[in-house]
């Protein structure tokens, strides 16, 4: 096996170099290499100091995440880090790139830290459902103030080198080359006769105020990280750092880590880590297909969507030509973009001059001809097939050869849209989510004739504008909205069966959804879905209760937050949602009229009905080939629909329940509820009856 650790001695300073592409993750080979190296250096009297550095784009980016699935092999983290810390001569970490997780923990076992000005130090373990497990919970509060340590570990937000210097996490920052700077630092230590400064021998910084701080953080985590294990375990581990000696504290950290690593929460978050990287690999697409160059983007429509997409592009320094039909629309659109940036400037997350630079990259125009220079044109007008077809015919006339034509439709048939052009191979769906400048997800819809390099370009664009791009095929609603349909249908049906809107939403929120679906409708506008259903009425079930609550609200003009009322009332300055007795009475009257039995579904039933319906639809999408992988569905839902990451996405969640449980649940609902909706997807049935899972099925498909 290739060695990933080597060393060379330069005039009394040993430089230990880690080289394990792509991100220097600390796997077993690296740990074994570090162990061998530090043992070898122990016996060499000419070595007066040691510098620990990495080659490649980054310092160690953490533990090898894959190892958590198989169990950590020997030598373990503690053994290796203790060897480094025990060195009799000073050890200086030379940090560039991103030192993450175990990467920061190695630097804490070193005696001194020198960082490149562009380096960042982060502890993202909570985002993987674990806690720093290589001594981080014990050493970090000894290196920096307890509050800073807790903040770094609870938020996962990395500290830039300058801030790390202020916090005392690093001893020196250099603008120049990192290894020579660290060697220089080590030489000075030797000249001064400074010995090792072991973190474990320091006292916790701020231990006197720990009680109050930890209690406050515990309360905050219980509220903001509902249903999670790792955040509270992290606070327990830090508490151990405050109250116990170092070795006892380390034991507490180890035992908490061992419990967390195999818990469903950590397995779910690891699943998403892999799934979010897997989405870029499209089965059947050769890895060497080159993306088309995108130097300028054209956008048609300067409304909320078009404006948000323009912001995404200029944030990534891609110039935009923004076209709309009227001067008034354009001005309104540009004013909204400026207002959004202004808010970031006021919050301090953007400098005023950056705002101006970004705005200057947007060229507004009333003329479609202005789009002739764009390499990619994204249509973002009202969701109406006739209108979109008209626009695509116009785009076909003005776009340069090879330009990609994207449509931001959320439901429509992209093959039909592509058919009005002479270049269907260049047409693709680019479904952004509102607000586009904030939401993580980009559904990339490959129509029947979309060329492979157009798909590759869209994936590349997603990465450039810092979105998670997931490829889907054409069907009504693609992956996300198609699965929302049965989920929402059950929520709407539950309010006709006697659950109040607040009961339905709170059941879903308690389970972990970011927002209950009825509150989501109010936020987005109840009319949006309603209008789509009116257009597709001929394709929908003939059931008079189907999405009836939404229809009734729209008939009354109670279309959600923008009208001040929808499923809820939004009164007062805060515009908080409050139950609306009139809506509750309206639903009860309608239930009587439609002769709907009042079952008063409880929270468990609401959760199961909504989620099983969603999972079943997901299984259909897999069979139809609309979604390429079960894990892609999980990425869509966690990145775009407020599905709790710690549950891994709907398909992973189904696997954790066991597909037999889901299948039998659906059969039970078939008996007690409307059987037309409760037909198990054939794939779900097959997997459930054979004791398989979506993950296993996916592994077999991609073999
Ligand atoms: N372990 C294993 N593989 C890793 C990895 C890790 N920690 N970090 C990245 N990789 C892999 C990715 O899976 C990807 O593989 P692929 O090419 O086969 O898909 C490859 O490295 C490149 O990664 P990215 O595509 O993410 O590269 P970017 O340049 O976009 O990002 C990064 C680089 C910022 C380092 C990003 O990869 C990242 O955030 N990695 C995870 C960091 C992390 O969470 N570290 C903490 C681990 S837990 C820990 O340390 C526990 C400790 O307390 C004991």
């Amino acid at each position: 096996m290739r060695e990933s650790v080597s060393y060379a001695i330069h005039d009394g300073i040993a430089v230990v170099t880690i080289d394990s592409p792509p991100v220097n993750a600390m796997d077993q080979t690296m740990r074994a290499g570090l162990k061998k190296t530090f043992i070898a250096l122990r016996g060499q009297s000419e070595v007066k100091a040691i510098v620990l550095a990495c080659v490649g784009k980054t310092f160690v980016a953490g533990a090898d995440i894959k190892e958590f699935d198989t169990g950590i092999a020997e030598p373990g983290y503690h053994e290796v880090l203790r060897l480094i810390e025990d060195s009799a001569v000073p050890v200086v970490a030379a940090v560039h790139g991103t030192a993450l997780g175990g990467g920061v923990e190695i630097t804490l076992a070193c005696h001194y830290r020198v960082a490149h000005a562009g380096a960042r130090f982060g502890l993202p373990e909570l985002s993987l459902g674990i806690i720093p497990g290589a001594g981080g919970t014990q050493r970090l509060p000894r290196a920096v103030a307890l509050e800073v340590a807790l903040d770094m570990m609870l938020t996962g937000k990395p500290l830039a080198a300058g801030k790390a210097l202020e916090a005392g996490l690093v001893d020196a920052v250099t603008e120049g080359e990192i290894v020579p700077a660290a060697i220089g630092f080590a030489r000075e230590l030797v000249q001064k006769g400074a010995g090792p400064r072991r973190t474990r021998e320091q006292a916790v910084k701020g231990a006197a105020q720990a009680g109050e701080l930890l209690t406050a953080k515990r309360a905050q985590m219980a509220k903001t990280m509902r249903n999670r294990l790792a955040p509270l375990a992290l606070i327990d581990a830090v508490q151990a750092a405050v109250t116990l000696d170092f070795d006892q504290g380390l034991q507490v950290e180890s035992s908490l880590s061992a419990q967390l690593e195999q818990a469903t929460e950590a397995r779910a978050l690891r699943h998403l880590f892999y799934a979010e990287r897997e989405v870029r690999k499209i089965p059947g697409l050769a890895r060497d297909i080159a993306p088309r160059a995108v130097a300028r983007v054209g956008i048609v429509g300067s409304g909320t969507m078009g404006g948000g997409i323009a912001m995404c592009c200029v944030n990534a320094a891609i110039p935009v030509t923004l076209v709309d039909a009227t001067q008034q629309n354009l001005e309104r659109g540009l004013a909204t973009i400026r207002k959004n940036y202004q808010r970031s400037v006021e919050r301090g997350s953007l400098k005023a001059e950056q705002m101006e630079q970004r705005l200057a990259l947007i060229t507004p125009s009333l003329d479609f001809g202005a789009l002739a220079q764009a390499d990619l044109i994204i249509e973002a007008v009202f969701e109406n097939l006739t209108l979109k077809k008209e626009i695509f015919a116009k785009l076909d006339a003005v776009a340069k050869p090879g330009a990609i034509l994207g449509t931001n439709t959320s439901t429509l048939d992209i093959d039909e849209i592509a058919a009005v052009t002479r270049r269907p191979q260049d047409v693709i769906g680019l479904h952004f989510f509102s607000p586009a400048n904030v939401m993580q997800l980009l559904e990339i819809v490959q129509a029947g004739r979309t060329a492979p390099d157009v798909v590759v370009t869209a994936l590349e664009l997603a990465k450039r504008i810092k979105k998670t791009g997931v490829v889907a095929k054409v069907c009504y609603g693609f992956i996300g909205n198609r699965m929302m349909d049965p989920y929402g249908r059950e929520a709407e049906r539950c309010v006709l069966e006697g659950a109040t809107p607040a009961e339905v939403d709170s059941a879903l929120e308690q389970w972990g959804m970011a927002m209950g679906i009825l509150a989501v409708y109010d936020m987005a506008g109840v009319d949006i879905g309603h209008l789509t259903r009116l257009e597709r009425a001929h394709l929908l079930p003939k059931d008079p209760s189907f999405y009836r609550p939404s229809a009734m609200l729209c008939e009354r003009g109670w279309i959600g937050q923008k009208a001040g009322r929808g499923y809820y009332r939004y009164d007062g300055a805060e515009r908080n949602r409050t139950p609306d007795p009139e809506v509750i009475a309206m639903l009860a009257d309608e239930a009587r009229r439609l002769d709907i039995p009042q079952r008063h579904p409880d929270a468990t039933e609401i959760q199961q009905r909504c989620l099983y319906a969603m999972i079943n639809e997901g299984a259909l999408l897999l069979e139809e080939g609309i979604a390429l992988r079960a894990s892609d569905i999980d990425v869509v839902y966690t990145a775009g629909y407020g599905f709790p990451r710690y549950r891994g996405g709907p398909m992973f969640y189904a696997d954790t329940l066991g597909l037999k449980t889901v299948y039998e649940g659906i059969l039970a609902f078939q008996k007690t509820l409307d059987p037309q909706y409760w037909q198990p997807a054939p794939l779900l049935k097959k997997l459930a009856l054979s004791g398989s899972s979506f993950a296993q099925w996916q592994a077999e498909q991609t073999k």
Side-chain angles (χ1 to χ4, degrees), residues 22-23 57 61-65 101-102 105 124-125 128 132-133 277 280-281:
V23 298
K57 64 177 182 178
D64 175 11
I65 294 173
E105 291 172 295
E125 279 86 346
L128 289 164
R277 282 155 183 83
R280 299 183 216 143
K281 300 166 195 159

Side-chain angles (χ1 to χ4, degrees), residues 415-582:
D415 288 312
E416 258 196 70
I417 297 175
V420 303
T421 72
R422 290 159 301 165
R423 44 175 120 189
Q425 73 282 359
D426 297 336
V427 176
I428 192 163
L430 295 173
H431 179 204
F432 287 82
F433 290 71
S434 189
N437 51 315
V438 177
M439 295 294 289
Q440 192 54 42
L441 180 64
L442 174 63
E443 250 184 330
I444 296 170
V445 190
Q446 181 179 18
R449 293 175 62 187
T450 310
D453 67 338
V454 171
V455 178
V456 171
T457 311
L459 282 164
E460 183 65 26
L461 174 83
K463 192 158 187 204
R464 245 170 111 188
I465 61 175
K466 298 198 168 63
K467 302 255 176 258
T468 308
V470 182
V471 174
K473 298 286 169 64
V474 175
C475 72
Y476 168 77
F478 319 127
I479 296 176
N481 284 342
R482 168 132 165 225
M483 285 170 68
M484 265 286 127
D485 235 31
Y487 172 79
R489 176 198 77 215
E490 285 308 304
E492 298 236 344
R493 176 73 198 197
C494 284
V495 292
L496 285 174
E497 292 173 14
T500 65
E503 282 166 353
V504 169
D505 281 343
S506 103
L508 297 172
E509 287 163 8
Q510 287 302 321
W511 182 84
M513 297 300 288
M515 196 187 251
I517 184 66
L518 304 176
V520 170
Y521 291 156
D522 273 359
M523 191 179 65
V526 186
D527 52 329
I528 306 278
H530 177 64
L531 290 174
T532 320
R533 280 186 291 277
L534 286 182
E535 272 192 39
R536 305 182 64 243
H538 58 293
L539 298 168
L540 299 178
K542 298 290 165 254
D543 164 13
S545 75
F546 183 76
Y547 276 94
R548 181 70 190 133
S550 274
M552 294 181 79
L553 293 174
C554 290
E555 283 157 13
R556 287 160 179 73
W558 302 346
I559 55 172
Q561 289 191 18
K562 58 191 169 193
R565 63 188 299 187
Y567 281 94
Y568 302 91
R569 294 202 72 109
Y570 299 87
D571 301 321
E574 297 288 298
R575 313 257 285 167
N576 285 332
R577 75 187 200 214
T578 47
D580 185 342
E582 255 186 285

Side-chain angles (χ1 to χ4, degrees), residues 90-266:
V91 184
V92 180
V95 182
H96 76 289
T98 40
L100 297 175
V104 171
E105 291 172 295
I106 297 191
T107 72
L108 290 167
C110 296
H111 307 139
Y112 301 91
R113 289 161 286 279
V114 176
H116 182 261
R120 299 187 327 146
F121 295 76
L123 288 143
E125 279 86 346
L126 280 197
S127 69
L128 289 164
I130 55 176
I131 59 175
T137 64
Q138 307 302 301
R139 287 194 181 92
L140 191 61
R142 290 173 158 87
V144 300
L146 185 62
E147 191 161 4
V148 177
L150 266 173
D151 239 36
M152 283 182 74
M153 293 189 280
L154 287 174
T155 66
K157 269 202 210 131
L159 278 193
K163 293 268 181 226
L165 184 67
E166 274 171 37
L169 181 59
V170 303
D171 300 284
V173 173
T174 178
E175 297 277 349
E177 274 187 56
I178 183 65
V179 176
I183 293 176
F185 186 89
R187 265 192 217 299
E188 274 177 38
L189 290 174
V190 176
Q191 275 156 16
K192 282 193 289 198
R197 182 192 60 188
R198 297 189 179 92
T199 313
R200 70 165 190 266
E201 290 166 1
Q202 320 286 311
V204 169
K205 296 186 170 36
Q209 296 79 41
E212 224 172 285
L213 183 61
L214 292 173
T215 308
K217 291 288 178 194
R218 226 181 267 286
Q220 188 192 350
M221 288 303 119
K223 217 159 99 193
T224 56
M225 299 254 198
R226 212 178 31 222
N227 301 341
R228 297 274 317 260
L229 299 173
L232 294 176
L234 180 94
I235 297 175
D236 288 344
V238 173
Q239 177 127 33
V242 174
T243 51
L244 304 175
D245 71 27
F246 180 80
D247 287 327
Q248 289 170 328
L250 216 50
Q251 273 177 20
V252 172
E253 181 194 273
S254 294
S255 107
L256 288 168
S257 293
Q259 290 165 36
L260 292 169
E261 276 158 22
Q262 298 318 317
T264 306
E265 173 177 322

